[in-house]
């Protein structure tokens, strides 16, 4: 091993561990469901993004098995060579119908979709106005594009208007985009899309909404853009197939021209092998399920509301979430980590999120209830929250 690499790794790891920033990764034994097993301990799982419980759905599992039988285990190539299977076309058609857009392009992950779609459209000489709380994959996609990145204060419409005006009137940039999460995963707040679209119209901004946490959750499942009825206005809707949809993958939905172009200019689409047949068929089944019934979506919201009300009644600060994402804001970093650790010892798996992921002094334990949780599980979790909250003097 290179001595320089060895020293580099040692320094980095020591520094992270000394600052309490080294994340020890837990191994889950078996499936990721509403109750999980870690180190032999059964835990009520409030940490997944498996909002609708589809990761272990019987129909999806069967669809995946059928696809293995009919199409094998791999797509065999990147989409543009000969990796576009009939299954991929079927998925993209179903997704476009669900999203209410002309067309969709699928990628192998949401992260990949942002790496592909943002740099395909935005170039050096362009500017991207980016909400300050945007996800890491958006930030990386923007960096990769070579465009000038202009941070906009989180959900601050005055700041957006001001910066949109400056960027467009300066004459410095060929094109200007505004990019935002649809649902912000740390607080559960929703982007102010109607106001954003008004500003975008005024300054002819290209609009891009990353709806990773909104897909399957908002708009009866079809996402935040559909929730506001803006699916014909927002230029680019990105979504993930890995969270509420329960499988893996990502996509961009929009006009036919946009998707035609991304299919020749999105680098991960051109240079990374296509989604597997099993994933593709399982995702298609999931989307069909969401189009046929809002039962899972409704159950998710019911559980979210139930957990929120319970935590609030106990006296916890649950912030201002507008979605099932339920933060319990503790504040101080060490106390937040201790709180999460004690919850786990008592049987609730809810991860602590602290600086630098959220601002200093706003450490939180984030709860992601799903459609798969029963009332009994949520009641048990609330009892444990009460016990640990009193023990640590938080309530
Ligand atoms: C999770 C997430 C992604 C990445 O999606 P994957 O399919 O897991 O790669 C992108 N954007 C946001 C806002 C996310 O929360």
């Amino acid at each position: 091993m290179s001595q320089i690499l060895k020293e580099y790794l040692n320094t980095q790891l020591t520094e992270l561990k000394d600052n309490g920033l080294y994340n020890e990764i837990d191994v889950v034994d078996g499936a990721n469901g509403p109750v999980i097993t870690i180190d032999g301990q059964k835990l009520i799982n409030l940490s997944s993004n498996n909002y609708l419980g589809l990761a272990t759905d019987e129909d999806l599992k069967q669809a995946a098995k059928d696809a293995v039988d009919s199409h094998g285990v791999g797509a065999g190539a990147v989409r543009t060579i000969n990796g576009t299977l009939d299954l991929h076309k079927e998925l993209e058609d179903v997704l476009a119908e669900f999203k209410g857009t002309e067309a969709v392009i699928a990628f192998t992950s949401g992260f990949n979709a942002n790496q592909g779609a943002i740099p395909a459209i935005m170039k050096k000489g362009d500017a991207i106005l980016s909400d300050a709380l945007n996800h890491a994959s958006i930030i990386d996609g923007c960096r990769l594009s070579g465009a000038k990145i202009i941070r906009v204060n989180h959900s601050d419409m005055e700041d957006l208007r001001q910066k949109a005006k400056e960027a467009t009137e300066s004459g410095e940039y060929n094109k200007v985009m505004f990019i935002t999460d649809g649902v912000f995963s740390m607080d559960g707040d929703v982007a102010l899309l109607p106001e954003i679209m008004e500003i975008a119209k005024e300054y002819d901004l290209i609009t891009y909404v990353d709806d990773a946490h909104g897909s399957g959750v908002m708009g009866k499942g079809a996402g935040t853009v559909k929730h506001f009825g803006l699916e014909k206005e927002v230029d680019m809707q990105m979504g993930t197939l890995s969270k509420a949809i329960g499988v893996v993958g990502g996509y961009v939905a929009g006009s036919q021209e946009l998707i035609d172009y991304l299919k020749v200019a999105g680098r991960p689409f051109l240079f990374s092998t296509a989604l597997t047949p099993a994933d593709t068929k399982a995702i298609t089944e999931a989307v069909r399920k969401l189009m046929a019934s809002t039962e899972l979506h409704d159950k998710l919201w019911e559980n979210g509301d139930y957990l929120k009300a319970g935590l609030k009644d106990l006296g916890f600060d649950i912030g201002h979430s507008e979605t099932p994402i339920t933060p319990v804001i503790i504040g101080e970093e060490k106390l937040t980590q201790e709180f999460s650790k004690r919850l786990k010892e008592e049987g609730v798996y809810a991860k602590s999120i602290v600086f630098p992921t959220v601002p200093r002094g706003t450490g939180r334990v984030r709860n992601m209830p799903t459609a798969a949780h029963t009332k009994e599980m949520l009641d048990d979790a609330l009892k444990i929250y009460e016990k640990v909250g009193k023990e640590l003097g938080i309530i």
Side-chain angles (χ1 to χ4, degrees):
M1 189 185 205
S2 149
Q3 276 310 309
I4 290 182
L5 173 60
K6 203 174 173 142
E7 279 164 30
Y8 174 75
L9 294 175
N10 275 337
T11 321
Q12 294 298 313
L13 286 170
T14 308
E15 194 180 309
L16 286 169
K17 284 177 185 166
D18 287 352
N19 292 323
L21 294 174
Y22 186 77
N23 186 19
E24 298 282 352
I25 300 171
D26 294 324
V27 177
V28 176
D29 291 321
N32 191 329
V35 175
I36 50 173
T37 305
I38 294 175
D39 291 334
Q41 188 193 5
K42 281 212 176 336
L43 298 157
I44 299 163
N45 182 15
L46 291 174
S47 282
S48 83
N49 294 317
N50 179 24
Y51 286 111
L52 301 174
L54 288 172
T56 53
D57 183 89
E58 290 304 326
D59 297 330
L60 270 68
K61 280 159 69 175
Q62 191 56 50
K65 287 177 199 166
D66 292 347
V68 170
D69 286 343
S70 62
H71 287 71
V73 292
V78 300
R79 293 280 303 273
T80 46
I81 305 287
N82 68 356
T84 296
L85 308 178
D86 51 355
L87 298 180
H88 294 123
K89 173 147 181 20
E90 183 188 22
L91 167 64
E92 288 170 341
D93 289 347
V94 169
L95 263 176
E97 188 186 341
F98 187 46
K99 303 299 287 186
T101 59
E102 284 173 14
V104 159
I105 175 174
F107 291 86
T108 46
S109 76
F111 203 103
N112 235 320
N114 280 334
Q115 306 310 286
I118 303 168
I121 302 296
M122 303 308 282
K123 308 283 174 192
K124 197 164 185 296
D126 296 334
I128 305 177
L129 303 167
S130 175
D131 186 282
L133 295 190
N134 277 346
H135 188 259
S137 60
I138 299 181
I139 296 168
D140 287 9
C142 291
R143 285 186 183 146
L144 211 50
S145 77
K148 165 93 177 156
I149 301 166
I150 302 168
R151 249 168 83 110
V152 176
N153 294 337
H154 174 54
S155 281
D156 181 341
M157 292 301 108
E158 271 317 297
D159 197 40
L160 173 59
R161 184 180 294 279
Q162 181 62 31
K163 286 175 177 158
K165 185 170 157 56
E166 281 167 19
T168 48
E169 289 179 359
S170 70
E172 258 182 83
Y173 308 110
N174 301 321
K175 318 193 266 313
V176 182
M177 170 184 275
F178 177 60
I179 188 161
T180 181
D181 280 25
V183 171
F184 291 88
S185 62
M186 294 303 147
D187 291 283
D189 56 324
V190 175
L192 304 171
L193 288 183
E195 292 87 339
I196 288 167
M197 292 316 293
E198 257 177 49
I199 298 170
K201 253 189 211 141
E202 203 175 324
Y203 296 101
D204 196 27
L205 307 179
I206 299 167
T207 45
Y208 190 117
V209 177
D210 173 337
D211 213 16
H213 283 275
S215 309
V217 177
M218 300 290 293
K220 295 279 175 213
T224 311
V225 172
K226 194 115 180 236
H227 168 79
F228 289 113
L230 293 167
E231 62 273 23
K232 299 279 184 270
E233 327 256 325
V234 170
D235 295 306
M236 301 172 77
Q237 289 188 60
M238 172 269 169
T240 175
L241 302 164
S242 336
K243 289 178 176 140
I245 301 297
V247 190
V248 74
Y251 61 90
V252 175
S255 70
Q256 188 66 53
E257 295 100 307
L258 172 75
I259 303 310
D260 287 348
Y261 181 66
L262 291 180
K263 285 186 173 171
V264 294
R267 288 173 69 83
F269 185 86
L270 300 176
F271 298 107
S272 183
T273 301
L275 284 165
T276 71
D279 292 331
T280 309
K281 195 78 191 160
I283 299 161
T284 306
E285 176 67 26
V287 177
R288 289 222 167 97
K289 231 180 207 312
L290 298 194
M291 290 202 298
S293 159
T294 61
E295 188 187 333
L296 292 174
H297 161 276
D298 298 346
K299 181 84 177 133
L300 163 68
W301 281 84
E302 191 186 310
N303 280 345
D305 290 345
Y306 187 78
L307 184 69
K308 274 185 190 160
L311 288 167
K312 202 167 175 197
D313 285 349
L314 287 172
F316 288 104
D317 174 3
I318 59 164
H320 305 283
S321 172
E322 301 166 75
T323 63
I325 296 172
T326 307
V328 167
I329 299 165
I330 309 289
E332 209 255 318
E333 284 71 27
K334 279 237 150 53
L335 183 61
T336 309
Q337 278 160 344
E338 176 63 16
F339 189 73
S340 168
K341 184 166 154 262
R342 285 288 300 123
L343 286 176
K344 187 175 166 206
E345 284 163 5
E346 295 293 331
V348 168
Y349 195 71
K351 293 294 266 187
S352 62
I353 296 172
V354 296
F355 179 81
T357 308
V358 293
R360 223 181 264 283
T362 69
R364 68 208 50 201
V365 171
R366 190 179 54 164
N367 301 280
M368 314 289 263
T370 73
H373 287 97
T374 62
K375 283 273 164 352
E376 290 70 33
M377 289 173 196
L378 297 177
D379 283 335
D380 287 347
L382 286 167
K383 273 185 213 125
I384 293 169
Y385 254 101
E386 182 175 16
K387 177 174 176 197
V388 176
K390 284 184 174 155
E391 176 189 302
L392 294 181
I394 292 160
I395 50 167

